[in-house]
Amino acid sequence: KQEVTQIPAALSVPEGENLVLNCSFTDSAIYNLQWFRQDPGKGLTSLLLIQSSQREQTSGRLNASLDKSSGRSTLYIAASQPGDSATYLCAVPNTNAGKSTFGDGTTLTVKP
Amino acid sequence: SQTIHQWPATLVQPVGSPLSLECTVEGTSNPNLYWYRQAAGRGLQLLFYSVGIGQISSEVPQNLSASRPQDRQFILSSKKLLLSDSGFYLCAWDRGYGYTFGSGTRLTVV
């Protein structure tokens, strides 16, 4: 059974800092990994989707990497801003019917 | 482009009352559809998923049920709500290229 862990559960940084969020998974037989952002009381917004054949994906100040062999993905946020404050979740699909396993998320606070 | 609609956004219901939450997807066909619940400060819990019309798989035994009467419509129901049914309900769809979530329904059972 796939298990997804995100550490730390919460992170507080000053504005402008570069930061890395971590996502670990136990079963490396995945075909993609997806990072989401969730603002309080809102749905999940997809940030990046990395296919298993890719090592990384970039969107603006965000860069996600994937290392299947070690069961890890990282989300790098450059030059953090207060507007980046949110909960970030990663998800990996299970082999059964496309269901995904989600991490519990890292709640990021960027202080002005 | 594909869009997903989920309503209502908020709902306050008394214990023992029925529930019906609706989710519709536009711009795609034959999507996998999912209902998740997120308790306050907790992660996502998969409740139901569907790979086709009338095909529903339940992940967690409870007093909720789901139905898929049309290809792009997914409904979450309950005959009698419990206090423990309170939470944030999210609908999502995918076709193997990543999930797209609806905006969620905040359900408070009083």
Side-chain angles (χ1 to χ4, degrees), chain A:
Chain A
K1 178 184 175 184
Q2 179 75 270
E3 293 181 2
V4 179
T5 304
Q6 292 187 250
I7 296 174
L11 181 65
S12 181
V13 300
E15 182 176 4
E17 191 164 299
N18 302 325
L19 59 101
V20 174
L21 306 180
N22 298 294
C23 172
S24 300
F25 46 94
T26 54
D27 185 350
S28 62
I30 63 172
Y31 56 89
N32 64 45
L33 184 145
Q34 194 170 6
W35 281 94
F36 296 88
R37 167 185 174 140
Q38 185 177 29
D39 293 292
K42 304 294 184 182
L44 278 68
T45 300
S46 180
L47 297 174
L48 291 164
L49 175 71
I50 311 175
Q51 299 293 344
S52 61
S53 57
Q54 300 173 315
R55 294 299 299 268
E56 62 180 51
Q57 277 278 10
T58 298
S59 176
R61 294 182 294 107
L62 305 180
N63 177 277
S65 68
L66 175 62
D67 184 344
K68 284 180 56 178
S69 61
S70 67
R72 293 184 179 182
S73 176
T74 61
L75 180 65
Y76 174 82
I77 302 177
S80 59
Q81 303 171 358
D84 294 329
S85 299
T87 297
Y88 292 81
L89 299 93
C90 65
V92 294
N94 303 335
T95 55
N96 183 15
K99 294 184 297 177
S100 285
T101 300
F102 286 78
D104 286 342
T106 294
T107 299
L108 172 67
T109 302
V110 181
K111 297 173 290 185

